[in-house]
Amino acid sequence: MRVAAFLVLAACGGDPDTKPVDASFDSDPTAPDARPDLIIEETQSLMPGELVEGIMTGGPPASAYIHLEAVSPHVGWNIHGHANGGTQVVHEEFDQMTADYPFTPGTASKWYLLVRNDGAVTMDIKVKVQLFGPFTWEWQ
Amino acid sequence: MKALVLVLVVGCTDTPLFGPPTESVCPPGGTQLRYETFAKPFMEAYCTRCHDSKLRGEDRMGAPSFHDFDTIYGIRAVSDHVDETTASGPAATNKSMPPDKPAPTLEERAQLGEWIACDMPP
């Protein structure tokens, strides 16, 4: 008898983005009646290779809707956490001109939004983050 | 009976990656360490084989995206973590990075702590 078992663990604690939030809370930013509790909207002028980082602190039932916009397709970004003394990337995109991403944290923690200019010239990147529920925000 | 079990763990270890802050201090007269003459060659020797913005996917060998040290901006963005994984100072010597050879000497780790404590001059 031959038994083959393949176990793939993609990240510590699973994918927090796939966990449901409290349905009683109006945290779906795509819902027509959703109203953000806080909107962060800034244009960051970044030199080639330069990054900015924003920190969202909170957990379920909070959520966020992230919108990034630039004039050329050289925006790279991710959302990551640092649970258990490591780094867990929740979502990442490279070489984008715009990005739209609804983020729902699976656990209460600090969640880091890193945005980088991967182009060869200085570029303005519009960062708009709508926060729903018990989320706080600070620029690093 | 033959059993084959493959376990693939991506970016997940039981041992915490981050140690305590080294509490490194900038000397009263400042540091002679510079990015171009110290930190850049340090990163090229020990870090950018994984933490390089030009690397994608498996070539990063588990290094998380946008944690890249091929520019001074990349180091500055996560300098706390660099201190907590790689540097040495009065409060701690952190050696979780790099996870393999070649690795910096204790003196080089202390210099890294000093350079970070002095706000990473270019």
Side-chain angles (χ1 to χ4, degrees):
Chain A
M1 178 179 176
R2 186 170 180 172
V3 178
F6 296 85
L7 174 62
V8 177
L9 303 177
C12 300
D15 181 2
D17 187 42
T18 62
K19 295 185 178 178
V21 298
D22 183 353
S24 65
F25 183 78
D26 187 15
S27 61
D28 179 3
T30 63
D33 60 345
R35 296 285 186 273
D37 295 285
L38 183 63
I39 299 175
I40 294 88
E41 190 166 10
E42 285 196 30
T43 297
Q44 298 279 352
S45 183
L46 300 180
M47 290 187 276
E50 190 173 8
L51 304 96
V52 287
E53 186 172 59
I55 304 172
M56 297 172 280
T57 302
S63 67
Y65 193 88
I66 293 155
H67 173 78
L68 305 174
E69 191 176 321
V71 295
S72 63
H74 298 300
V75 178
W77 67 283
N78 81 9
I79 295 176
H80 66 276
H82 289 298
N84 303 316
T87 301
Q88 301 83 40
V89 175
V90 175
H91 185 79
E92 63 185 11
E93 293 185 12
F94 300 92
D95 303 322
Q96 301 294 307
M97 186 179 295
T98 63
D100 288 281
Y101 182 73
F103 171 56
T104 304
T107 58
S109 186
K110 286 180 181 283
W111 301 97
Y112 300 81
L113 171 67
L114 263 179
V115 180
R116 184 172 68 196
N117 175 6
D118 282 334
V121 297
T122 297
M123 179 168 65
D124 287 349
I125 301 177
K126 178 182 172 183
V127 179
K128 182 177 181 180
V129 181
Q130 299 177 77
L131 300 176
F132 302 82
F135 247 154
T136 62
W137 173 272
E138 62 179 311
W139 290 105
Q140 179 78 305
Chain B
M1 180 174 134
K2 187 173 181 181
L4 172 63
V5 178
L6 298 182
V7 178
L8 175 62
V9 178
V10 180
C12 180
T13 62
D14 291 330
T15 305
L17 190 63
F18 302 118
T22 65
E23 307 293 352
S24 297
V25 294
C26 191
T31 183
Q32 299 302 310
L33 301 170
R34 296 289 182 268
Y35 173 71
E36 289 293 337
T37 55
F38 165 71
K40 184 177 180 183
F42 180 103
M43 296 295 162
E44 289 173 348
Y46 305 121
C47 309
T48 56
R49 59 183 181 264
C50 303
H51 292 271
D52 189 304
S53 61
K54 295 180 289 297
L55 298 176
R56 296 281 192 273
E58 293 180 355
D59 290 341
R60 300 180 63 82
M61 293 180 282
S65 56
F66 305 104
H67 292 62
D68 296 319
F69 309 134
D70 52 320
T71 68
I72 191 171
Y73 303 119
I75 304 168
R76 285 174 171 167
V78 294
S79 61
D80 288 353
H81 294 333
V82 175
D83 182 79
E84 292 162 2
T85 57
T86 313
S88 179
T93 292
N94 294 315
K95 294 183 175 179
S96 65
M97 284 287 153
D100 55 3
K101 303 292 182 183
T105 65
L106 181 60
E107 181 183 9
E108 289 173 314
R109 291 182 189 277
Q111 290 176 321
L112 179 64
E114 176 181 312
W115 181 71
I116 293 172
C118 293
D119 291 332
M120 297 162 278

